[in-house]
Amino acid sequence: MLKIGEFARICHVSTQTLRYYHAEGVLCADRIDPQTGYRYYKTEKIKTFGEIQTLKQAGFSLEEIKILMGGSEEARMVMLARKRTALTEDRNRIDASLALVERLGHRQEILGELTRYQALTADFENDPEVIGRWRLMGQVRTQIPETWGNPKPPSDTVMDEFVCLPGGSMWWNILWSRGVIYCFYQFMDTVVPNEYQLHDVEGHRYMTLRWIGYNCLTKGSDSIILLYKQESNRAYTPRESQTRRDRTDFPYIPDPSLQGTWETVAYVDTPENFSPSNPLDPSVLQYVTAITFYERGICKRHLRHDGRAFSRQLEYTASGMGTFRGYIINQQDEAAEGYLIRELDGVSYLFIQHKSGDYFFGGMEPKYYVFRKVDEGTAP
């Protein structure tokens, strides 16, 4: 047999650790000299020590290792399954965090993405009383009903109305959980938590929302308190909660002038705001990069998101009304985006409405993507 010192050198471990393992009942000496107190180990224990180290590297505690090495086969399999599940969850969390850090370029983006990640993965706590549609009454001084008086117009950009969907599901640019409304700000790539309180006053339900808005984020202004009134406590579906829906049953009328590929050159509030002399803002290419029109009313919108390029097949028709020459139709989203063509400085430019959640949920007027033709081809 090997003395404890010899055993320690072979296993590259201290004698103190071996004494601790003996005291914990994980790796006991095979013999202890009653007169000298020397500990002796059989050479087979070298293999046992190696098994212990492997289990430690896998994340098991000494208490768990005792069960694994001395318990029943059933207990061993249960413990291995639990550890496998725990390690998989840890790996998934680490992989998600690494992916965020790898994708982001500077500190502010990292903070924004991590904040968004926390909002999306935070434990949801239900609040049945907040479900439904809420309409803005105005800005108030405090969250105490007796001080509300006549609410005044808000001093910041706010939501005129919003819907809290069951289960905290996302509506337009907000998520919610008990006591907080998370608002996503795409232009800053971040999400802000806004605390709310509910009040029942004279048979009506109100919400006071401490709002961290655009001015607060960009100009350093103080947060404000908004007062909302619950118009309905209905459990809406996402589609039912839309403020707008478009007519999409237009008959197909061909428009040969559209055939080919058009690349994005600008993003403007209205067609009148566009000037070919203005330099291209690279940020407009971060989502819609181009659009290709084929025969028989088929078109593809080319997109880019998170560095990944893809396309979406849509329909088009020259069945225009008013100022529009025709429409790009998305049957799935019930969207009809008007288009028109204008010639400026001898070049034809295509203007297409961009109808996002701002339009369908926020009730805002759509902005326009501006395109210039780069390819006359028509083959799919």
Side-chain angles (χ1 to χ4, degrees):
M1 290 195 290
L2 300 170
K3 292 183 178 179
I4 187 172
E6 297 169 332
F7 189 86
R9 284 193 294 272
I10 293 173
C11 295
H12 302 286
V13 67
S14 67
T15 57
Q16 183 179 1
T17 297
L18 292 176
R19 291 190 179 93
Y20 176 67
Y21 283 1
H22 179 93
E24 292 296 315
V26 179
L27 182 65
C28 297
D30 293 291
R31 175 175 173 268
I32 300 178
D33 190 304
Q35 295 182 352
T36 62
Y38 289 165
R39 301 169 190 265
Y40 294 87
Y41 295 82
K42 295 180 179 179
T43 54
E44 299 94 281
K45 287 289 178 69
I46 296 175
K47 181 180 179 181
T48 304
F49 179 83
E51 292 175 355
I52 293 172
Q53 296 305 102
T54 299
L55 292 171
K56 283 185 62 181
Q57 291 174 4
F60 290 99
S61 67
L62 288 182
E63 197 63 34
E64 291 172 326
I65 290 173
K66 280 198 295 184
I67 298 174
L68 287 169
M69 299 186 67
S72 66
E73 183 63 20
E74 181 180 359
R76 175 184 174 88
M77 296 308 296
V78 169
M79 186 165 290
L80 288 174
R82 288 176 179 173
K83 181 61 68 175
R84 186 180 297 108
T85 299
L87 290 175
T88 300
E89 291 174 352
D90 289 343
R91 182 181 62 188
N92 291 340
R93 284 193 293 268
I94 292 172
D95 287 346
S97 297
L98 284 173
L100 288 174
V101 174
E102 288 291 335
R103 193 171 75 248
L104 301 169
H106 56 78
R107 182 175 180 273
Q108 184 58 42
E109 287 179 339
I110 291 175
L111 291 176
E113 278 293 323
L114 290 178
T115 304
R116 172 183 294 186
Y117 177 76
Q118 290 162 2
L120 292 172
T121 59
D123 291 337
F124 171 72
E125 185 177 355
N126 195 24
D127 185 355
E129 295 181 345
V130 81
I131 293 174
R133 186 179 295 275
W134 297 83
R135 180 167 293 279
L136 177 70
M137 304 299 292
Q139 180 177 336
V140 293
R141 292 190 299 111
T142 75
Q143 295 182 294
I144 302 174
E146 291 75 15
T147 67
W148 291 346
N150 294 318
K152 64 180 183 179
S155 59
D156 204 340
T157 303
V158 303
M159 298 181 293
D160 291 333
E161 68 174 59
F162 64 91
V163 176
C164 289
L165 297 177
S169 297
M170 192 162 191
W171 179 87
W172 183 19
N173 61 346
I174 70 168
L175 292 168
W176 69 273
S177 183
R178 179 180 291 273
V180 61
I181 303 290
Y182 295 101
C183 185
F184 287 76
Y185 288 92
Q186 297 293 341
F187 70 97
M188 294 186 68
D189 200 23
T190 191
V191 61
V192 175
N194 304 278
E195 297 179 354
Y196 73 80
Q197 293 182 15
L198 300 182
H199 314 267
D200 290 327
V201 180
E202 297 180 354
H204 298 284
R205 180 162 293 154
Y206 296 88
M207 172 192 292
T208 49
L209 183 65
R210 185 170 291 279
W211 183 253
I212 303 173
Y214 181 84
N215 290 339
C216 187
L217 293 172
T218 61
K219 301 177 182 179
S221 303
D222 293 333
S223 62
I224 61 177
I225 298 176
L226 300 175
L227 178 65
Y228 287 87
K229 182 179 180 180
Q230 190 176 47
E231 287 196 331
S232 169
N233 61 355
R234 178 183 174 188
Y236 290 90
T237 66
R239 182 58 60 88
E240 291 172 339
S241 68
Q242 288 185 204
T243 304
R244 292 173 168 173
R245 293 186 194 175
D246 289 344
R247 172 192 169 189
T248 59
D249 60 344
F250 297 101
Y252 169 60
I253 298 176
D255 189 345
S257 64
L258 287 178
Q259 301 298 303
T261 297
W262 302 68
E263 67 176 2
T264 304
V265 297
Y267 186 64
V268 295
D269 291 337
T270 67
E272 290 72 27
N273 294 135
F274 173 68
S275 172
S277 61
N278 292 340
L280 172 65
D281 181 358
S283 65
V284 305
L285 297 177
Q286 292 181 359
Y287 187 60
V288 178
T289 59
I291 186 166
T292 301
F293 294 89
Y294 307 108
E295 297 177 349
R296 300 181 297 282
I298 298 173
C299 64
K300 283 188 178 181
R301 180 174 288 158
H302 306 287
L303 310 167
R304 180 182 295 129
H305 181 65
D306 285 344
R308 183 173 64 91
F310 57 101
S311 63
R312 190 173 188 184
Q313 182 169 311
L314 305 171
E315 302 171 15
Y316 74 91
T317 177
S319 302
M321 295 188 298
T323 59
F324 295 118
R325 183 186 184 109
Y327 294 96
I328 311 300
I329 299 174
N330 184 335
Q331 298 288 1
Q332 180 179 350
D333 294 342
E334 296 186 39
E337 298 172 321
Y339 75 83
L340 54 94
I341 297 177
R342 289 184 176 176
E343 187 169 310
L344 301 170
D345 298 337
V347 178
S348 293
Y349 292 93
L350 172 64
F351 296 81
I352 302 178
Q353 290 179 315
H354 179 223
K355 293 183 176 178
S356 62
D358 292 352
Y359 171 83
F360 288 108
F361 296 101
M364 302 179 187
E365 290 304 310
K367 295 185 179 183
Y368 290 77
Y369 273 102
V370 187
F371 302 86
R372 181 178 55 214
K373 186 176 285 189
V374 293
D375 181 10
E376 297 287 346
T378 60

